[in-house]
Amino acid sequence: RTAAPCRHVRRLGLSTGVAVPSQSWAEPQQQVTLPSFPPPPPPASSLQAKESAAGISDYTRSHRQPGARLRSIERVDAWCEAGTAMTPQDVAGVMFDIAKLRFATAVLSKTQCKYVKEQVINCEESWPADVIGRVCYGLQAWPPSEATQILGSVLPRLPALAEPLTEKYVGMMLYGTRYCKDGPEIKSFFAHLAGEIPKCQEEFNGQTIGNAIYSLKGFVYCEKVQALLAVLARKLAECVETMKGQEIANALYGLQRCKDGHELRTVIGILAQRLKVPGTELSTQEIACAMFGLQSGGGSAEMRDLLGTLAEKILVSKGEFNTQGVSNCLYGLNQCSDTAELRQVIGAIATKLQESSVPPLHIQQMSMILYGLRGCSDCDELRSLLGALAVPIVGDADTQPLANCLYGLQRCHDSPEVRAVLRVLQPCIIAAQQTWSGQNVSNALYGILRCGDSKETRAILGALAPKIVETSCDFSSQHISMSLYSLNNYKDGPELRAILGAIAPKIASCQERLTAQSIGNSLYGLRGCSSCPEMRAVLQGLAVKIAECEEQMTDVEISNALFGLRDCRDSPELRAVLEPLADKIRQCSGVLTSHSTANALSGLKECGDSSTVCAVLGALAPKIAGHTGVLKGYQIAKCLQGLRRCKDGPGLRAVLAALMPRMEGCEPNLTHQHLAIALGGLQGCSSEAPETEAVLNMLSGKTLRDPEHETARGVESTVLALDSIRQFNGVQSVVAALSDSVARMRDELSHRTILAAHRVATTIRGPEGETLLQALGPRAPRMRQEGSQPENLAGGARRRKLSETQHVERLELPPGWTAHRDGERVFYHHSRYGSQWSLPGLRLPPGWAAHEAPDGRTFYFHEEHGSVWELPVDAEASATISGSKGELTSTSEVDAHQSKGEAAEADKVRRGEVVNEVAALAGVSGSAAGSEALWTLQKAGEEGKTTSMPIADVVPEATPEAALEQKGPVHKDCKRSAASGALVATGVAPGATASTPAEAANAALPREASIEVAATSIEGFPDGDNLRSASIK
């Protein structure tokens, strides 16, 4: 019980299995006579086979009696006190017995340890092989530094051996040195054994080979280790003894630090064949140790063969994997190439785990598991394993394991299983208290690069953003570029902006210069984010780094940098980035390939038309012209699309001239969709520039003319794009190439597209224009001949049934009129004439109203004349038609005529006549709605406000009935077939037909509706920059 026990107490404590901490030992204060009785033997539990670091039993243990080992230790005590010199045999016996009793510091005092070490080092007698073998075996019981010091004293004795080493002593020597420090002593030892082992004529058994290779586990792979592994591989090939599963696992575990090469592949290949021997089984623990040793694997045939064999052994193994075993198994796969055998192993482990529930994992175990999967691409086996491992995580969340977890998901795509794992990790990231280093942040962001833009990945981004803000660690240039590059698959959103806002100060504080590759990767990662304050802050920091960079940028780095700016709009920060980039482009000694050209130019599509953009174009032109690679169809579209906001100038024309030779070699497979994109990109060019004309002539010959690949959408997009540049020289050739497609698709083209095609045909004139007009056929707008009826602009017969919104987007409105949405309905507004439901155009004669039939066509109804399909003609309206030259009625003429009639109606409002008419109308029904409408008009009359719409006659119920749906909180309810249009300003429905006067009055809209809907305006004219329908402001 004393604090400083004597040697007898220590001996008795050892014999009863009591572990006494070495730091509590003290030298005896007085000599005590040894007891006459022999010490009791230690309990059996203390002599059980000890476990190695791999968890595998040590089979080199001899069957010497425990009492004899203890008596050897007692002799050390007596020799130490007497200062007696030990013989080589005594040294070997003591070293061997200490190793069998665990550790020297546990069975000897500090004085005794020092005495034994000095006796080993200073022994001057020659040592035979058995002494050297037992001394080296005993090194495993000493601390690494002391064991290395003892090994250094053994090295000079090795050349003096008179006989070759036997198989037994080779195994003992190697196995004992496994805890030595990696240094020159161990390298010299391995080099000597690599020369001595071939001299051994004995056959190595499985135990010796397993222990020998196992001893290599802790040493860096070098030439000496490589030479030793080579001679052991030869002994392994010569071994005819059947190896046990544990011996194979020992050997595989020792390969964990070896590098892929001939020697490693030889050993793996032989062990794979030994593992296939019938009757060779592996326990789950042995499987874990074997797979842990495969960390330096690869995609060689030998490794694939071994993985396939291990997959079979996993499926037939008995017992369950514990969490540590699973983590060891999967961590060993972190360097394996993505192969079918790797997926087979992962699938086998997933099947094994699904046989029982997986308990909660420690964060370190989850880190090893996910990090080990980083080489496997997304597959069913991987998703199945992730689904089984998406369990709660226990333990304190450290930043390094969390970063490794996310980094291991780098090849996983979006899936429910990946999302489940991310949901488990996200709370751990929030709870982590340690500081996140730049390496941790960049690894974490890179790991989820391909995991999709899901809610879970954005939650991870949201959890990481404050961690980046809080960290005081400096980010290196690699950390910055890797972090920014990892954002390239995300769309713009608050989480992405938060990450950019957190990284921006790190860029400014970075003391390192960004390499050319880092610049390209950093800008490429911004391709999903639009212009925002966070984005501009990042650009501001990168502009300084680009200017500081002294390296030349390659064509790939230039294209990546420009492509990342594709959603950035013109700003001072963007110009600050483009200015040094222009210099880098000029300094580049290479030329742009087809892929690089397409990416570089398409990245400028939103950058504006500043002088900086023009300078970039001027720098790109010679790099484009210097390459002879042919551009493909989609690349041509990307190149020209990037020029759509550039203004005409020397830089733009130089780029077009440089592109021409590379576009001419393209196969004639340019689809209509690509052609439309290409034509839209020419809007900023001069209509008379020879370069533009040459490009248009070239595009006409590259268009795909296969009817099987034509679509109505593609033809529509091309016609609308062509309409935006119809004044350009060279358009005729494109029209000639497009006419056949228009003729084949005309019945499926929208009315807007037909009008655009007609404008193009009438603008270019000539034979190409005539051909396009003929292609329109009966769908061409009818020409106004003398005495003929005018074109139907008050509704028109539509051949296809379209929604109101689609129909409005395909119509051109008279000047001053704009279309607005009210839910699913569309109404029209004029700053002078107010709002109405009906389409502006020619006015119908008094008493007539337009209605829509179930098939989408428009018919007209009059109380006396009934329903007709033809457009009724008002004499006053017909007088406005200049009908002898065959010209279409212009929208300005229609608007002017309509203004005359509506001005008269406005005068009626000022005189109070409209109020009286509505009063009479409302008085018929006596309804509340009619009273409300009457009050509205009376109030308007009292305040002197003007209206722009006339009051239509009330007619009985029409057949078929016209539908008027009212939606939205600001509108009154109204019944079907109330009116074909309504006046927002006054609440009166123009040209309305209703079954009762009350329904007509009830169809009115409140005046304030016109104020609310005026906020969003849909332009009815084609937008050259947007090849879809109408642009929304």
Side-chain angles (χ1 to χ4, degrees):
R1 292 183 300 177
T2 61
C6 65
R7 62 180 180 275
H8 306 292
V9 175
R10 290 199 301 272
R11 183 182 64 192
L12 293 175
L14 171 65
S15 65
T16 56
V18 178
V20 182
S22 60
Q23 58 268 26
S24 65
W25 293 3
E27 294 299 319
Q29 302 298 322
Q30 58 183 353
Q31 296 292 333
V32 180
T33 306
L34 292 173
S36 58
F37 56 87
S45 59
S46 67
L47 296 178
Q48 292 177 353
K50 66 179 180 180
E51 300 294 319
S52 68
I56 300 175
S57 300
D58 177 9
Y59 278 90
T60 62
R61 185 175 305 280
S62 70
H63 300 286
R64 188 177 178 187
Q65 294 297 324
R69 297 196 189 101
L70 293 175
R71 285 192 290 273
S72 177
I73 303 301
E74 292 172 359
R75 287 195 297 271
V76 172
D77 196 4
W79 292 333
C80 180
E81 292 178 359
T84 304
M86 298 171 62
T87 66
Q89 293 296 333
D90 293 335
V91 170
V94 169
M95 291 288 290
F96 187 84
D97 288 341
I98 292 174
K100 292 303 181 181
L101 294 173
R102 286 291 186 176
F103 302 107
T105 55
V107 297
L108 298 176
S109 66
K110 292 182 180 179
T111 302
Q112 291 169 345
C113 289
K114 181 179 179 181
Y115 168 75
V116 172
K117 186 174 67 172
E118 290 176 351
Q119 291 298 312
V120 175
I121 296 175
N122 299 326
C123 184
E124 298 179 354
E125 299 182 34
S126 61
W127 288 5
D130 67 317
V131 172
I132 293 177
R134 285 187 293 170
V135 168
C136 289
Y137 180 81
L139 294 176
Q140 61 184 299
W142 295 79
S145 58
E146 296 183 13
T148 304
Q149 188 177 1
I150 295 174
L151 178 63
S153 66
V154 175
L155 290 176
R157 306 179 189 275
L158 293 176
L161 288 175
E163 299 178 357
L165 293 171
T166 64
E167 169 260 348
K168 174 183 177 181
Y169 293 127
V170 169
M172 291 175 63
M173 292 169 67
L174 285 172
Y175 188 78
T177 58
R178 66 186 188 276
Y179 294 139
C180 291
K181 295 179 65 175
D182 193 5
E185 294 84 1
I186 196 67
K187 290 183 173 61
S188 299
F189 179 72
F190 286 161
H192 183 80
L193 287 184
E196 289 294 327
I197 292 175
K199 300 177 183 179
C200 179
Q201 302 299 320
E202 296 179 343
E203 179 184 306
F204 280 29
N205 59 31
Q207 179 183 344
T208 300
I209 292 175
N211 288 341
I213 299 179
Y214 174 80
S215 65
L216 305 179
K217 66 182 181 65
F219 305 108
V220 176
Y221 196 67
C222 60
E223 293 181 1
K224 306 297 189 295
V225 177
Q226 183 180 5
L228 179 58
L229 184 62
V231 297
L232 290 176
R234 288 194 290 270
K235 288 297 182 180
L236 176 60
E238 296 171 359
C239 178
V240 296
E241 177 184 322
T242 300
M243 295 182 68
K244 300 178 181 179
Q246 191 173 32
E247 296 165 353
I248 296 174
N250 263 348
L252 290 173
Y253 185 85
L255 301 175
Q256 57 188 264
R257 302 192 70 176
C258 297
K259 293 183 180 179
D260 189 22
H262 174 71
E263 296 79 13
L264 178 63
R265 295 183 182 186
T266 302
V267 172
I268 288 177
I270 297 174
L271 292 176
Q273 297 303 318
R274 297 299 172 90
L275 199 57
K276 294 179 182 180
V277 174
T280 305
E281 296 181 357
L282 295 176
S283 66
T284 53
Q285 183 183 13
E286 292 165 351
I287 291 173
C289 294
M291 293 185 61
F292 188 81
L294 304 181
Q295 298 176 37
S296 300
S300 64
E302 294 81 4
M303 177 61 72
R304 297 178 63 177
D305 187 24
L306 177 60
L307 290 176
T309 306
L310 284 173
E312 298 174 0
K313 298 299 180 181
I314 292 171
L315 293 175
V316 300
S317 63
K318 298 179 181 180
E320 299 178 356
F321 280 103
N322 57 28
T323 55
Q324 187 61 45
V326 174
S327 61
N328 284 347
C329 281
L330 296 174
Y331 182 79
L333 303 176
N334 71 83
Q335 293 289 346
C336 294
S337 302
D338 185 27
T339 60
E341 291 76 13
L342 175 64
R343 294 190 287 271
Q344 187 179 356
V345 168
I346 292 175
I349 296 176
T351 302
K352 197 72 177 177
L353 293 178
Q354 291 169 356
E355 296 176 357
S356 61
S357 60
V358 179
L361 293 169
H362 192 275
I363 183 61
Q364 187 66 37
Q365 294 171 344
M366 179 66 86
S367 172
M368 294 176 65
I369 289 171
L370 295 182
Y371 185 83
L373 299 174
R374 65 193 182 101
C376 183
S377 61
D378 192 70
C379 58
D380 294 338
E381 295 83 359
L382 179 59
R383 290 192 291 269
S384 178
L385 179 61
L386 292 177
L389 293 173
V391 296
I393 296 177
V394 297
D396 295 335
D398 296 333
T399 57
Q400 184 64 48
L402 285 171
N404 288 346
C405 285
L406 295 176
Y407 185 76
L409 300 173
Q410 59 186 265
R411 305 191 70 179
C412 297
H413 297 166
D414 188 19
S415 66
E417 295 79 9
V418 171
R419 296 185 184 187
V421 172
L422 293 177
R423 283 195 296 268
V424 171
L425 294 175
Q426 192 252 357
C428 298
I429 297 175
I430 297 176
Q433 299 298 322
Q434 293 181 338
T435 301
W436 285 70
S437 65
Q439 186 68 44
N440 291 337
V441 171
S442 58
N443 283 352
L445 290 174
Y446 184 81
I448 58 175
L449 170 62
R450 297 177 178 86
C451 291
D453 195 7
S454 63
K455 178 178 66 177
E456 287 75 12
T457 53
R458 288 193 171 269
I460 296 292
L461 293 180
L464 286 174
K467 302 298 181 182
I468 302 174
V469 175
E470 295 169 1
T471 182
S472 59
C473 299
D474 293 332
F475 278 45
S476 66
S477 60
Q478 182 183 8
H479 300 155
I480 291 173
S481 63
M482 190 173 176
S483 298
L484 291 177
Y485 175 81
S486 302
L487 305 176
N488 71 80
N489 280 338
Y490 300 107
K491 295 181 181 179
D492 195 14
E495 299 84 3
L496 179 59
R497 296 188 179 189
I499 290 289
L500 291 176
I503 294 178
K506 306 300 180 184
I507 301 175
S509 62
C510 178
Q511 302 299 319
E512 298 180 6
R513 291 184 177 182
L514 264 65
T515 63
Q517 182 180 4
S518 298
I519 292 172
N521 290 345
S522 299
L523 291 176
Y524 183 82
L526 306 177
R527 67 189 183 115
C529 187
S530 59
S531 294
C532 60
E534 296 82 1
M535 174 73 151
R536 291 193 290 272
V538 171
L539 291 178
Q540 184 177 7
L542 289 177
V544 177
K545 298 299 180 182
I546 298 172
E548 294 176 351
C549 179
E550 298 179 353
E551 297 181 10
Q552 281 193 7
M553 297 182 69
T554 64
D555 64 312
V556 175
E557 294 162 353
I558 289 172
S559 66
N560 285 346
L562 292 176
F563 187 73
L565 304 174
R566 64 179 187 174
D567 287 332
C568 296
R569 297 190 178 273
D570 190 21
S571 66
E573 294 81 7
L574 176 62
R575 298 182 186 183
V577 168
L578 290 177
E579 185 174 353
L581 272 182
D583 296 334
K584 295 294 182 184
I585 297 171
R586 296 187 191 98
Q587 297 169 6
C588 176
S589 58
V591 293
L592 296 180
T593 64
S594 299
H595 180 73
S596 299
T597 299
N599 282 353
L601 291 179
S602 64
L604 301 174
K605 66 178 183 178
E606 299 292 344
C607 293
D609 58 353
S610 64
S611 58
T612 309
V613 176
C614 296
V616 171
L617 291 176
L620 285 174
K623 307 302 177 184
I624 297 173
H627 199 278
T628 58
V630 176
L631 293 170
K632 298 180 180 179
Y634 75 92
Q635 293 172 338
I636 292 175
K638 289 180 66 175
C639 288
L640 296 180
Q641 183 190 32
L643 306 177
R644 65 176 188 167
R645 296 193 183 276
C646 302
K647 64 181 179 181
D648 187 54
L652 178 58
R653 297 192 181 190
V655 168
L656 291 178
L659 288 173
M660 272 300 300
R662 302 180 62 175
M663 292 189 293
E664 288 177 346
C666 175
E667 297 292 332
N669 57 1
L670 196 65
T671 65
H672 288 118
Q673 196 66 33
H674 291 153
L675 179 60
I677 296 174
L679 294 176
L682 299 175
Q683 296 180 58
C685 303
S686 171
S687 61
E688 300 178 355
E691 294 84 0
T692 308
E693 183 177 1
V695 170
L696 289 173
N697 291 331
M698 182 276 306
L699 291 176
S700 64
K702 303 301 179 182
T703 305
L704 182 64
R705 303 180 186 231
D706 186 0
E708 295 182 359
H709 293 84
E710 289 178 353
T711 62
R713 182 177 180 181
V715 175
E716 285 186 348
S717 300
T718 305
V719 171
L720 295 176
L722 198 59
D723 183 34
S724 64
I725 59 171
R726 60 181 182 272
Q727 305 289 345
F728 282 36
N729 295 337
V731 170
Q732 294 84 349
S733 59
V734 180
V735 170
L738 188 63
S739 297
D740 292 341
S741 299
V742 172
R744 286 189 289 267
M745 293 288 173
R746 64 190 177 198
D747 293 336
E748 301 180 36
L749 301 181
S750 65
H751 180 60
R752 179 190 181 195
T753 305
I754 296 296
L755 293 178
H758 189 275
R759 281 194 300 270
V760 173
T762 55
T763 300
I764 65 173
R765 301 184 180 277
E768 295 84 0
E770 292 295 332
T771 303
L772 182 57
L773 287 176
Q774 293 175 6
L776 296 176
R779 293 208 61 192
R782 287 175 290 178
M783 310 298 292
R784 289 189 295 114
Q785 301 294 337
E786 186 173 358
S788 65
Q789 293 183 352
E791 177 70 12
N792 178 11
L793 298 178
R798 286 175 285 181
R799 300 301 179 188
R800 290 188 300 158
K801 188 172 184 179
L802 302 173
S803 67
E804 262 189 295
T805 302
Q806 292 173 328
H807 181 56
V808 169
E809 291 177 349
R810 299 180 180 186
L811 291 175
E812 285 191 319
L813 300 177
W817 286 94
T818 55
H820 305 265
R821 291 192 182 95
D822 173 37
E824 295 295 327
R825 292 201 61 194
V826 178
F827 65 95
Y828 308 89
H829 179 76
H830 194 284
S831 59
R832 177 180 178 185
Y833 306 122
S835 302
Q836 65 184 49
W837 289 114
S838 61
L839 184 68
L842 288 176
R843 291 185 49 206
L844 296 174
W848 286 93
H851 302 270
E852 183 173 326
D855 62 355
R857 293 189 299 167
T858 303
F859 69 97
Y860 307 90
F861 177 80
H862 191 277
E863 182 180 5
E864 297 180 0
H865 306 291
S867 298
V868 296
W869 292 112
E870 294 78 11
L871 176 69
V873 180
D874 190 353
E876 182 181 357
S878 300
T880 65
I881 302 175
S882 55
S884 60
K885 297 184 180 181
E887 298 179 355
L888 289 174
T889 306
S890 67
T891 54
S892 58
E893 293 173 336
V894 176
D895 188 60
H897 164 69
Q898 191 172 14
S899 300
K900 295 179 181 178
E902 292 175 349
E905 297 297 335
D907 293 336
K908 292 175 66 178
V909 173
R910 285 192 291 271
R911 294 194 303 269
E913 296 177 13
V914 172
V915 177
N916 295 334
E917 293 176 8
V918 175
L921 181 66
V924 175
S925 63
S927 64
S931 302
E932 184 176 351
L934 175 61
W935 180 87
T936 302
L937 292 180
Q938 287 176 342
K939 189 69 176 178
E942 292 171 359
E943 295 176 0
K945 296 181 180 180
T946 63
T947 74
S948 61
M949 295 303 304
I951 300 300
D953 296 336
V954 178
V955 297
E957 182 176 353
T959 303
E961 182 177 284
L964 178 64
E965 295 181 353
Q966 294 277 18
K967 295 185 180 180
V970 298
H971 292 172
K972 296 181 180 180
D973 295 333
C974 65
K975 301 178 181 179
R976 289 179 57 85
S977 68
S980 63
L983 174 63
V984 176
T986 61
V988 179
T993 59
S995 57
T996 63
E999 290 179 357
N1002 217 15
L1005 289 174
R1007 183 180 184 86
E1008 56 266 26
S1010 63
I1011 302 175
E1012 292 190 21
V1013 297
T1016 55
S1017 170
I1018 305 173
E1019 298 181 2
F1021 300 98
D1023 185 351
D1025 291 337
N1026 187 354
L1027 298 181
R1028 294 176 297 177
S1029 53
S1031 64
I1032 299 177
K1033 289 185 178 179

